Amino acid sequence: MLRLAQLRSMIAAGTSDGFYSWAEWEHTRSVVLGLDNNECQLCKAHGRYRRAALVHHVQHLKARPDLALSVFDPKTGQRQLVSVCRACHEEQHPERMKKAADRPAPVTAERWD
């Protein structure tokens, strides 16, 4: 209960990324990856195999901090945490892609990348 209050205050302050360094999250993450055999469950649903690199909150952390460490949603019994590859995780979070699109255009056409 104390950790949930801490997480809610982190979300309010805009520092919720710190949650991902908690020991409780690291443990839950390893449980989920093991449960899914380190396979991306979204790729697997489409008949592909890709190694999972991340664990995705089906109901976003900011919307449902009470489910932050729950593998299953206790009300519905559905998965709350799912192993995904980086590409699938980016598809699940298009709002993160917007940040890259908001960058200003380079001053000159010359690029060093």
Side-chain angles (χ1 to χ4, degrees):
M1 197 62 161
L2 178 63
R3 286 299 241 180
L4 178 56
Q6 184 180 6
L7 178 56
R8 284 186 171 139
S9 68
M10 289 169 72
I11 290 169
T15 59
S16 59
D17 286 346
F19 163 77
Y20 297 106
S21 65
W22 288 5
E24 296 95 322
W25 169 250
E26 288 296 328
H27 172 75
T28 303
R29 180 183 178 278
S30 67
V31 167
V32 172
L33 288 170
L35 182 65
D36 294 335
N37 296 316
N38 293 304
E39 297 174 345
C40 175
Q41 297 304 294
L42 300 179
C43 285
K44 191 174 182 179
H46 292 96
R48 298 183 306 252
Y49 170 80
R50 196 176 281 161
R51 186 168 177 78
L54 304 164
V55 172
H56 173 66
H57 286 90
V58 174
Q59 296 185 55
H60 296 291
L61 180 68
K62 293 176 183 175
R64 292 295 306 271
D66 58 310
L67 296 177
L69 298 170
S70 300
V71 178
F72 294 92
D73 183 337
K75 290 183 181 176
T76 65
Q78 295 179 335
R79 288 287 296 268
Q80 163 57 20
L81 298 172
V82 180
S83 302
V84 295
C85 65
R86 199 164 299 282
C88 286
H89 194 253
E90 288 175 6
E91 285 179 19
Q92 296 299 306
H93 290 283
E95 69 277 6
R96 292 181 185 212
M97 298 305 288
K98 183 180 183 300
K99 289 180 184 177
D102 289 343
R103 290 187 188 140
V107 176
T108 65
E110 185 176 336
R111 303 268 321 234
W112 292 87
D113 36 52

